[in-house]
Amino acid sequence: MNGLKITGLAATIASIVFAGYALAADGKKEPIKPAAKDHPLDEIWSGYHFTTKETKAMQDDDFANPGMTWFDIGETNWSKKDGEAGKSCASCHKPSDMKGVAARYPIYDDKLKKLVNIEERINNCRKVNMKAKPWKYDSNDMLGMAIFVNAQSRGMTRNVKVDGPAAEHFKKGKEFYYQRRGQLDMSCAHCHEKYYGQKIRMNVLTQGQSNGFPVYRLKWQKPGSLHRRFKGCNKQVRAKPFKTGSPEYLALELYLAWRGNGLTIETPAVRN
Amino acid sequence: MTRARKVIGAGLAIAVVMTAGSSLALAQAKKKKSKCKDGETTEIASYDLSKGENLDFQIAKPLNGKPGDAKTGLKWMVHRRLGNCIACHEVSKILAKAKPSDLNSLKKYGFHGKIAPTLDGVASRYTEGELRLIVVNPKKAFPDVNTIMPSFHSASDFHAVIGDCKDHAILSADRVEDVVAYLKTLKE
């Protein structure tokens, strides 16, 4: 009897606590139909779909999601002044201004005359507005801020624009995606379009979607940027990797985001 | 979004442990392993194509002029950096060698991928010369399917190959022959 009461109480506490904040990095449980007519996939699936039950449970519960430790780093840095201008992100924005950013990035920036993703935007704000040093893509500070910013768009539908000045980058990204490369002579499409859902030795291949980045990877024991993932996928076929933030990877990021238009943002997703 | 999760003060402690762990991993990664050169030549032998029975082409003669060794071939087939054939192909004869503890791991004979056809009975479907061509250059063997299978003894027209792998084949001529010798044992 006693035990029962305690369980009941715990459940009540849990429901109060959990009702207090917005949805977790909830993975999409259904596939979606691509909106674009010329889309190469019949169904679009988040990487979430292909992970194990345990990994899904980890992602669905912010208390269990190890990536949320970096969310906290980002939240702390958000209002920490840095650089010669003596400013923080909070000097110019509210966190709620970040809602929707992850869903529409990367974008073509007319002033900078280049594609800009979250990391480039953060570094540009640091450089121009804060007069602070740029962060490396996979530093804890950058991962933290990118997770904090992207997580404000959780549950929102990705919808990147690929027309106008973005079009030529989209085309380059697409070429990159279908180019065989490396000593193993494979393209992204071989693994993530032709054989997704199937096993290549220990790994179940996913569609290689980017809607959960930066993702917490159990293998890395850390979150990683999308560009780190690109390097890894290039290197595993023994191809030359590009630099994080390179025009090649930015174009690839745009093209990949388009392949996932319609997916919801899950940052920080958890992957094996 | 500021969450009650802060009650779990362990969060930061976990982060510290993880950082320590990953810097160790980093130090290990710095001892860079060469992915391609491992003391043996990986130069590409020249060979002649002739007409095949089941495929358009075959390579009738051994690349190095002598037959390979099936037992050694098995070693290359399960080797993660060299053949790694079982990353994509299931082979019942190899799986049968796995210990129960191997079956969920990358250990030697364990865990086969499934994206490619099983190699069981492959010697009943192809001639020796065709098997050789499939290993050397599957793009020539299966020209119509945009195959994912790597060319194990070719490097022509490859794109953006990483430094030390450039102009090198994955398997030397000797190793190709060993693999072919093993494939020849896979009869139905």
Side-chain angles (χ1 to χ4, degrees), chain A residues 8-270:
Chain A
L9 187 67
T12 316
I13 292 174
S15 66
I16 291 168
V17 170
F18 281 92
Y21 57 93
L23 66 170
D26 246 348
K28 193 98 177 168
K29 294 180 178 67
E30 306 292 332
I32 54 159
K33 296 278 170 222
K37 276 195 265 352
D38 53 347
H39 203 289
L41 300 163
D42 295 332
E43 289 185 337
I44 304 177
W45 285 103
S46 164
Y48 176 86
H49 174 68
F50 303 94
T51 58
T52 60
K53 224 169 60 205
E54 293 77 20
T55 309
K56 286 192 176 83
M58 224 185 242
Q59 177 175 326
D60 288 341
D61 175 2
D62 271 353
F63 290 89
N65 184 338
M68 290 309 285
T69 303
W70 278 262
F71 179 99
D72 290 348
I73 294 175
E75 189 174 42
T76 306
N77 279 339
W78 180 263
S79 48
K80 204 159 104 188
K81 293 192 171 88
D82 194 10
E84 284 164 28
K87 286 186 182 157
S88 70
C89 315
S91 317
C92 300
H93 316 275
K94 293 193 295 294
S96 60
D97 298 340
M98 299 297 114
K99 211 166 156 50
V101 172
R104 63 189 164 84
Y105 265 53
I107 56 156
Y108 183 83
D109 185 304
D110 284 326
K111 260 197 250 144
L112 297 173
K113 301 223 175 320
K114 62 173 237 174
L115 277 184
V116 174
N117 64 0
I118 298 295
E119 288 91 343
E120 296 299 312
R121 175 60 72 218
I122 290 169
N123 270 344
N124 194 62
C125 278
R126 287 179 60 77
K127 185 172 139 196
V128 176
N129 301 320
M130 297 164 66
K131 309 249 178 295
K133 283 205 199 105
W135 281 328
K136 290 218 162 78
Y137 269 49
D138 287 280
S139 61
N140 285 330
D141 284 329
M142 180 59 98
L143 290 168
M145 190 57 73
I147 286 176
F148 181 71
V149 170
N150 286 1
Q152 308 302 321
S153 306
R154 274 176 179 185
M156 293 180 73
T157 303
R158 166 156 266 168
N159 188 16
V160 290
K161 280 185 59 170
V162 297
D163 54 358
E168 73 177 279
H169 299 276
F170 175 78
K171 194 165 151 267
K172 283 201 186 114
K174 182 174 177 183
E175 277 163 16
F176 194 112
Y177 194 87
Y178 286 101
Q179 171 72 55
R180 284 179 183 268
R181 57 186 72 231
Q183 194 192 33
L184 303 194
D185 204 30
M186 295 174 192
S187 71
C188 314
H190 277 112
C191 290
H192 296 297
E193 183 174 310
K194 197 171 182 187
Y195 292 114
Y196 75 82
Q198 301 185 47
K199 272 197 187 123
I200 193 160
R201 208 134 187 194
M202 285 285 273
N203 289 299
V204 178
L205 290 165
T206 73
Q207 291 184 343
Q209 296 288 1
S210 56
N211 56 313
F213 277 83
V215 301
Y216 184 92
R217 233 188 140 198
L218 297 166
K219 190 178 147 194
W220 290 336
Q221 295 274 296
K222 207 188 146 156
S225 68
L226 182 61
H227 290 200
R228 176 176 179 188
R229 182 75 242 192
F230 289 166
K231 282 184 168 188
C233 281
N234 278 162
K235 284 195 267 191
Q236 72 180 340
V237 297
R238 302 174 197 169
K240 271 189 216 134
F242 290 84
K243 290 208 170 77
T244 54
S246 60
E248 289 83 359
Y249 279 175
L250 286 168
L252 184 59
E253 177 170 355
L254 177 70
Y255 176 68
L256 207 58
W258 173 83
R259 287 177 75 95
N261 264 354
L263 286 175
T264 50
I265 304 299
E266 296 174 15
T267 308
V270 183

Side-chain angles (χ1 to χ4, degrees), chain B residues 36 38-42 63-64 68-69 72-73 76-77 79 81-83 135 153 169-181:
Chain B
C36 290
D38 57 343
E40 284 191 42
T41 172
T42 40
L63 300 177
N64 56 359
D69 172 52
T72 317
W76 310 135
M77 293 200 41
H79 192 292
R81 191 168 38 83
L82 296 169
V135 177
H153 198 72
I170 305 168
L171 293 176
S172 64
D174 289 354
R175 287 172 180 167
V176 169
E177 292 310 323
D178 294 337
V179 168
V180 170

